Amino acid sequence: MTVFEDYACPHCAHYATEVMPRIVENYTKPGTVRYEHRDFPIPVSEEWSWAGANAARAVQDALDDAAFFEYTHTLFAHQDAYVDAGARGYDYLGTVAADLGADATAVVRAAKGGKYTPYLKAERQTGKDMGVRGTPTVFVNGTATGDPGYDTISAKIDAALSN
């Protein structure tokens, strides 16, 4: 399962807080499905689509994949704390990183400076090549589900598992 998301997208925030936890609980934790996050800064926000993704990748580099997913979930759950906060949004990115054990200054520097932007642009191009036009876009076995809702994704996973 591959999911393309934008850190400033409200639909992605809904997906990440309402749908993804159920997918993880029912399919990823039991080891049935491999879950892959891909960055796709549309950008919904010219600043925060890129800054959020850069910050998340800095946390991943500093800590590990588990911290990356925890950081990502927290950002989506509190999207207004950075997207609607102006320059104070960077403080929020740093605080969440520090709470996980990452260097807040390094994470904010990566977010502001675009440290991972070349990687993010490559991820975005991969999405475009796969037909992604908006976020979130969910793929199961390389095929877009069309709807990022739990019932649709679950049905696609179950169908793939039965083949």
Side-chain angles (χ1 to χ4, degrees):
M1 179 174 170
T2 303
V3 183
F4 288 86
E5 296 177 275
D6 180 318
Y7 283 88
C9 170
H11 302 292
C12 293
H14 173 78
Y15 168 82
T17 58
E18 302 297 323
V19 178
M20 180 193 170
R22 292 175 65 193
I23 296 293
V24 169
E25 188 63 34
N26 294 322
Y27 295 99
T28 305
K29 277 187 181 176
T32 308
V33 170
R34 180 174 168 255
Y35 190 95
E36 185 177 290
H37 167 93
R38 294 288 189 98
D39 294 298
F40 194 86
I42 292 176
V44 171
S45 162
E46 195 60 51
E47 181 172 11
W48 297 108
S49 295
W50 297 99
N54 271 286
R57 294 304 174 175
V59 167
Q60 183 179 32
D61 268 359
L63 302 174
D64 57 22
D65 290 346
F68 166 81
F69 280 107
E70 188 173 345
Y71 187 79
T72 294
H73 180 79
T74 300
L75 291 191
F76 280 126
H78 303 282
Q79 196 174 63
D80 60 329
Y82 60 100
V83 172
D84 298 333
R88 290 184 328 239
Y90 289 103
D91 295 337
Y92 183 76
L93 297 180
T95 297
V96 175
D99 288 348
L100 292 173
D103 179 340
T105 302
V107 170
V108 170
R109 190 177 318 114
K112 285 183 176 180
K115 179 177 180 178
Y116 298 91
T117 297
Y119 170 79
L120 301 174
K121 285 182 176 179
E123 287 272 284
R124 188 173 188 278
Q125 188 58 52
T126 297
K128 283 181 163 184
D129 293 345
M130 292 175 69
V132 174
R133 294 184 182 195
T135 56
T137 298
V138 179
F139 290 85
V140 173
N141 277 354
T143 303
T145 62
D147 171 21
Y150 179 80
D151 291 339
T152 299
I153 296 167
S154 177
K156 299 283 185 183
I157 292 171
D158 292 342
L161 292 172
S162 68
N163 288 335

